Amino acid sequence: MPESGVSRAQHVHITDTAPDTSPPRPAATAAARRTGLLVTLVLGGLTALPPLSMDMYLPALPAVTDALHAPASTVQLTLTACLTGMALGQVVVGPMSDRWGRRRPLLLGMIIYVFATAICVFAPTVELLIGFRLLQGLAGAAGIVIARAVVRDMYDGMEMARFFSTLMLISGVAPVIAPVIGGQVLRLTDWRGIFAVLTVVGTLLTLIVWKWLRETLPPEERHTGGIGDALRTMRGLLADRVFTGYMIAGSLAFAALFAYVSASPFVVQEIYGASPQTFSMLFGINSIGLIAVGQINGKILVGRISLDKALGFGLSVIVLAATALLLMTSGVFGDVGLVPVATGLFVLMSAMGLAMPNTNAQALMRTKHAAGSASALLGTSSFLIGAIASPLVGIAGEATAVPMAVVQLVCAVGAMACFLVLCRPWQQVAGRP
């Protein structure tokens, strides 16, 4: 007899001190784990596709403005539409994957993504482009949310934390190389060629998923209810204070990263007078720092120290780096120049390699019976809070970097507060056998 919605909600609400002691995974999941490197690459590709969809397109914005005879502010809505779709799509796809398994919603999302991206190639007006960029984001969200859910199906405990760090190595490279790829595509063709490349990439990834990514959620562990059941499941997740703490802490850390991405081109080039080449080099170095610390977390720290200790240290470093950036940009130390500010940004970005994988791992470790819905809440929260934080970095105009530092510090302090007040890591350690 199927479980009721209430009992399923109770499954996802786990006490503060009880770790997730789930039984061994079924044979299908064990077989999926044995594929090893292939699964890692597939999940990394799914996670990297949305950033590629966003960032490959950035160098083409002026060309789109000219080609479609639209104001720059309207063309910017093509980015907003895609980001909004990625945020909202996760809320829809996550519960779907808990009900129907991971493969079917993922393949459906990938097919719609390919269709929407192909339409963007031929979009005659900016309004149509905005509409299909929204659909592209909605469908592309399937890759983000289901990749995390598949990791939760396949791994547990320290293994899951290690895998998230490995996943960051793949997905973290995407935002770095995407603008470079977009620029090279523009040397060969126009902005429509970028969407053609994304269509080909999406098609190949869809075929790979169909051929090699097995179902990881067996039928007996799926939810059978409808929308009401999905809402009750999410309510049960949000009622878990510790899960909510990790979710908000991770989202605020992500917002601090979003503030950097939004403001750094302006801060580095306009305020501190660096060349575009210097900015690209600094952006790449910071991304390498994030990826490197993520690998240190997964390969060295996980299993030797608790995830909460690594997470607490990472959040502490982010708070200190954001404080230093605020002091430097506000003139407390005089005119410090680009090198100290770039150093502060490097430290802040590198510490994200401890904060982001460990918040995801700790949150998902509590949600065996609703990994899709939990992954949806994690992703949607990160994108929405990041989207709110991003415009605030330019609120004081173009003459100061103080707003960027203020946003980063507020987000960092908020993340630390959520971690300490809601997660209460000392209680979890005391309660574990």
Side-chain angles (χ1 to χ4, degrees):
M1 183 182 234
E3 296 178 320
S4 68
V6 174
S7 65
R8 275 189 297 272
Q10 290 171 342
H11 276 307
V12 300
H13 181 77
I14 303 175
T15 59
D16 291 348
T17 59
D20 183 4
T21 55
S22 52
R25 296 289 189 262
T29 303
R33 287 182 63 175
R34 285 195 295 270
T35 59
L37 179 61
L38 178 61
V39 172
T40 303
L41 294 175
V42 171
L43 297 182
L46 292 172
T47 307
L49 187 59
L52 284 175
S53 303
M54 289 287 294
D55 294 347
M56 274 183 66
Y57 178 65
L58 294 178
L61 287 177
V64 176
T65 301
D66 295 336
L68 298 182
H69 308 290
S73 58
T74 304
V75 174
Q76 287 284 347
L77 291 177
T78 61
L79 296 175
T80 304
C82 189
L83 183 62
T84 303
M86 289 179 190
L88 299 180
Q90 296 184 63
V91 180
V92 177
V93 177
M96 286 175 60
S97 72
D98 283 336
R99 182 177 182 184
W100 292 306
R102 311 305 184 201
R103 270 179 60 88
R104 283 190 289 175
L106 177 57
L107 286 170
L108 177 61
M110 293 300 298
I111 291 170
I112 296 175
Y113 172 88
V114 171
F115 169 77
T117 308
I119 295 296
C120 289
V121 176
F122 305 102
T125 65
V126 70
E127 291 79 12
L128 190 63
L129 183 60
I130 291 171
F132 279 95
R133 284 284 279 174
L134 176 64
L135 183 60
Q136 186 190 42
L138 287 168
I144 303 175
V145 67
I146 292 180
R148 276 196 301 260
V150 168
V151 173
R152 180 62 186 93
D153 293 339
M154 293 166 54
Y155 296 94
D156 206 351
M158 299 301 179
E159 281 188 323
M160 182 165 58
R162 290 191 182 98
F163 195 93
F164 274 124
S165 294
T166 302
L167 207 60
M168 180 175 288
L169 175 63
I170 301 172
S171 60
V173 172
V176 180
I177 66 172
V180 178
I181 296 174
Q184 295 304 311
V185 171
L186 289 176
R187 295 182 63 180
L188 302 175
T189 180
D190 61 5
W191 62 272
R192 298 181 187 274
I194 292 177
F195 289 111
V197 171
L198 288 172
T199 301
V200 173
V201 172
T203 301
L204 292 175
L205 195 53
T206 303
L207 294 173
I208 291 172
V209 168
W210 174 76
K211 179 70 175 177
W212 282 294
L213 188 64
R214 301 184 183 185
E215 179 59 64
T216 59
L217 184 66
E220 62 270 17
E221 294 187 12
R222 298 175 190 174
H223 293 192
T224 57
I227 295 177
D229 179 71
L231 293 176
R232 283 190 294 272
T233 299
M234 288 188 174
R235 184 177 63 191
L237 288 167
L238 294 174
D240 180 358
R241 169 178 51 79
V242 179
F243 171 84
T244 302
Y246 286 123
M247 179 187 74
I248 299 177
S251 298
L252 288 171
F254 190 70
L257 185 150
F258 249 62
Y260 159 78
V261 172
S262 299
S264 59
F266 162 73
V267 170
V268 173
Q269 296 180 79
E270 299 297 326
I271 295 179
Y272 290 98
S275 65
Q277 292 73 26
T278 300
F279 164 72
S280 299
M281 180 186 68
L282 293 177
F283 193 91
I285 290 173
N286 290 342
S287 300
I288 291 171
L290 186 153
I291 295 169
V293 174
Q295 294 311 293
I296 291 172
N297 177 72
K299 305 297 184 184
I300 299 176
L301 300 183
V302 171
R304 290 178 171 84
I305 65 173
S306 73
L307 300 185
D308 280 333
K309 285 183 179 179
L311 173 57
F313 179 76
L315 292 176
S316 300
V317 173
I318 294 172
V319 170
L320 292 175
T323 302
L325 285 168
L326 179 58
L327 294 175
M328 287 187 288
T329 56
S330 60
V332 171
F333 302 127
D335 186 7
V336 296
L338 176 60
V339 173
V341 172
T343 302
L345 289 172
F346 173 78
V347 173
L348 184 145
M349 285 292 294
S350 298
M352 294 290 176
L354 294 175
M356 293 169 61
N358 289 327
T359 50
N360 282 333
Q362 289 287 67
L364 288 173
M365 215 178 293
R366 305 178 62 83
T367 58
K368 173 183 181 293
H369 295 281
S373 297
S375 178
L377 289 174
L378 290 171
T380 300
S381 174
S382 295
F383 275 92
L384 289 180
I385 294 178
I388 292 171
S390 294
L392 299 179
V393 298
I395 198 169
E398 301 181 357
T400 175
V402 170
M404 178 193 72
V406 169
V407 170
Q408 290 175 329
L409 181 58
V410 169
C411 290
V413 172
M416 178 63 81
C418 288
F419 175 60
L420 295 177
V421 175
L422 297 179
C423 301
R424 301 175 189 174
W426 60 90
Q427 292 183 351
Q428 297 184 64
V429 172
R432 280 180 186 152

